[in-house]
Amino acid sequence: MSRKTITKFSAFVIFSAFVVAIFSGCHAAFPIKNEDARPQNLSPDWAPAKVVGKIESPEINESSGIAASRCQADVFWTHNDSGDDAFIFAINAKGEKRGTWKVSGAKNIDWEDIAVFKDKNGACFLYIGEIGNNKLKRAEFTIYRIREPQIAGENKTSDKKNAVATENAEAIKFKYPGENHDAETLMVHPKSGDIYVLTKQISEPSVIYKLSANYSLNETNTLEKLVEFKVPAIPNGLLTGGDISPDGMRVVICDYFSAYEMILPDGAKNFDEIWKQTPTVIDLGEREQGEAICYSADANSIFATSEKKNSPVIQVIRKPAR
C-alpha cells in the first residue's frame, strides 16, 4: 500500500473513532495504540507481546506475509509486497537471515501473504498469494505453490544476486464469483488443504472465500463465497494477514495494529463453523504497518512483523493451560 493510501486510511480511522466516541459516550474498541483507545475483549489465552528481534536483511523492506515451516525448525518464510521480484526469504524467530530464493515460474505483481502445508507423505509446501488488487481492476489472481526449499549451509547467506532457484511453481488461478476484490489474507487448512482468501474492505466487513483442495491447475477456478466476517475494530474488515493453527482448531487474523483469534468449538463437524465465532483480541504492541502474522510450528506462539526495513519481530506466547 502506498504512503498516500496509508495517510488516507489513517485519517479515516481517526475520524471514525472520533465519531463513534462522540455518539457512544465511551471509548471505541478499535486497535489504535494510545492511552485513550486500547483494544477491548482481550484474549485470556495469550501473554503480552514482546519484541524478540528484528529482520536484519535489508532486502526485506515490506514483510507482507509470514509463515512458520512445518519441516524445518526455527524457519519462517516471508516476502516483500509489490515492487519486488519473485523472491522469498527465510529468517529465524529473531529475524536473522537464513537465505534468499527466486521462485521459478512466478511473478510478483502484488504478493500479499504466504501459507504453509505439510502433506500426508511429510512433504512441505509454500503457497504464495498473488492476491492484491488495490485499484480493483484485476479480475484474475494466482496462488503459487512450491515445494519448500531446504536450507543448507551454502545458501544461508545467499541474497538476490546469487539466490537459489526453487522448483518450478504451480500456478493456481482463481477469480471471485461476483465483483472484484482486494485481499491480503491467504490461509491453507493443515488437514484438508482447502484454501481461504479473506478480502480487505475499508467501509464494510471482510468476505471469506474458499477454494477446495481439488482445485484445477488447467483452468481458472471460481472461489466459493462463504460468509461476511468482521473483527472488533474500526474499520472492521481491513484485514492484512492470517493463519490457521497446525491442528486446524484456531485462526488468527490481523489488521494494521492488532490480531484477532477464533477457536473452533468442541464437537464442530465442519471447520467453516469457525467463522461464526466471536473473535477475541490479541494485542501485538506497537506496529508501524502490520501486514503479516502466523502461528509457530508448535502453535504455542504467534509471530508478527511489519513493513519497512528492519521490522521488529513480535512474539506472543500462549499462556499455560489452567
Side-chain angles (χ1 to χ4, degrees), residues 46 185 187 241-245 250-254 259-262 282 284 293-295 302-303:
W46 300 92
T185 304
M187 299 180 290
D243 194 19
I244 301 174
S245 63
R250 293 173 179 254
V251 168
V252 65
I253 305 292
C254 72
Y260 312 91
E261 188 180 49
M262 290 77 66
I282 300 172
L284 296 176
I293 194 165
C294 71
Y295 288 101
I302 288 171
F303 285 86

Side-chain angles (χ1 to χ4, degrees), residues 176 180-185 197-201 204-209 223 229 237-240:
Y176 295 98
N180 297 336
H181 289 287
D182 184 25
E184 295 189 5
T185 304
V197 176
L198 278 62
T199 64
K200 180 184 180 184
Q201 313 267 74
E204 54 192 17
S206 171
V207 181
I208 300 170
Y209 289 90
L223 300 186
F229 174 77
L238 204 74
L239 309 183
T240 60

Side-chain angles (χ1 to χ4, degrees), residues 269-288:
K269 297 181 180 180
N270 188 320
F271 172 75
D272 291 336
E273 291 184 32
I274 202 165
W275 307 118
K276 302 176 184 178
Q277 310 310 307
T278 301
T280 56
V281 180
I282 300 172
D283 189 357
L284 296 176
E286 302 292 341
R287 292 201 301 168
E288 285 191 37

Side-chain angles (χ1 to χ4, degrees), residues 5-298:
T5 304
I6 291 294
T7 301
K8 289 182 178 179
F9 161 67
S10 300
F12 171 82
V13 172
I14 293 170
F15 174 77
S16 299
F18 176 77
V19 171
V20 170
I22 290 294
F23 286 96
S24 66
C26 61
H27 296 308
F30 66 103
I32 295 294
K33 299 296 184 285
N34 59 49
E35 294 181 358
D36 295 323
R38 301 295 295 179
Q40 306 299 310
N41 192 29
L42 284 173
S43 170
D45 296 342
W46 300 92
K50 293 182 179 180
V51 174
V52 294
K54 68 178 182 179
I55 295 177
E56 64 177 25
S57 172
E59 295 181 329
I60 307 172
N61 55 20
E62 290 186 286
S63 178
S64 189
I66 190 170
S69 172
R70 303 294 189 262
C71 284
Q72 301 178 89
D74 195 22
V75 171
F76 295 80
W77 295 97
T78 189
H79 57 83
N80 286 322
D81 204 332
S82 59
D84 198 7
D85 206 337
F87 291 103
I88 55 173
F89 309 92
I91 60 176
N92 64 16
K94 295 181 180 180
E96 296 168 336
K97 184 176 180 179
R98 304 299 301 277
T100 303
W101 282 260
K102 181 72 175 292
V103 181
S104 299
K107 294 181 180 180
N108 182 350
I109 299 173
D110 196 355
W111 287 8
E112 291 292 356
D113 206 359
I114 188 168
V116 295
F117 179 71
K118 186 175 183 178
D119 70 14
K120 294 179 180 179
N121 298 318
C124 280
F125 298 86
L126 304 179
Y127 291 69
I128 304 163
E130 173 66 271
I131 57 177
N133 192 22
N134 287 334
K135 296 182 180 180
L136 301 180
K137 293 183 177 180
R138 299 174 65 190
E140 184 175 285
F141 306 86
T142 304
I143 298 167
Y144 293 111
R145 182 180 186 264
I146 60 170
R147 186 177 289 269
E148 180 180 326
Q150 293 297 303
I151 296 177
E154 63 270 20
N155 58 35
K156 286 184 179 179
T157 58
S158 61
D159 54 25
K160 290 181 181 180
K161 292 182 179 180
N162 59 4
V164 180
T166 69
E167 294 184 7
N168 204 55
E170 292 180 344
I172 306 168
K173 302 287 186 180
F174 76 83
K175 62 182 179 180
Y176 295 98
E179 60 185 333
N180 297 336
H181 289 287
D182 184 25
E184 295 189 5
T185 304
L186 171 74
M187 299 180 290
V188 179
H189 192 276
K191 296 181 180 179
S192 68
D194 293 340
I195 299 171
Y196 292 86
V197 176
L198 278 62
T199 64
K200 180 184 180 184
Q201 313 267 74
I202 292 180
S203 59
E204 54 192 17
S206 171
V207 181
I208 300 170
Y209 289 90
K210 179 179 179 179
L211 179 60
S212 296
N214 60 349
Y215 52 77
S216 173
L217 292 174
N218 299 318
E219 58 186 23
T220 300
N221 301 271
T222 300
L223 300 186
E224 174 191 358
K225 183 177 180 180
L226 296 184
V227 294
E228 288 190 343
F229 174 77
K230 58 185 179 181
V231 297
I234 300 175
N236 61 14
L238 204 74
L239 309 183
T240 60
D243 194 19
I244 301 174
S245 63
D247 62 2
M249 297 299 294
R250 293 173 179 254
V251 168
V252 65
I253 305 292
C254 72
D255 56 19
Y256 288 114
F257 306 101
S258 291
Y260 312 91
E261 188 180 49
M262 290 77 66
I263 302 174
L264 192 65
D266 292 338
K269 297 181 180 180
N270 188 320
F271 172 75
D272 291 336
E273 291 184 32
I274 202 165
W275 307 118
K276 302 176 184 178
Q277 310 310 307
T278 301
T280 56
V281 180
I282 300 172
D283 189 357
L284 296 176
E286 302 292 341
R287 292 201 301 168
E288 285 191 37
Q289 185 179 332
E291 295 202 7
I293 194 165
C294 71
Y295 288 101
S296 59
D298 63 6

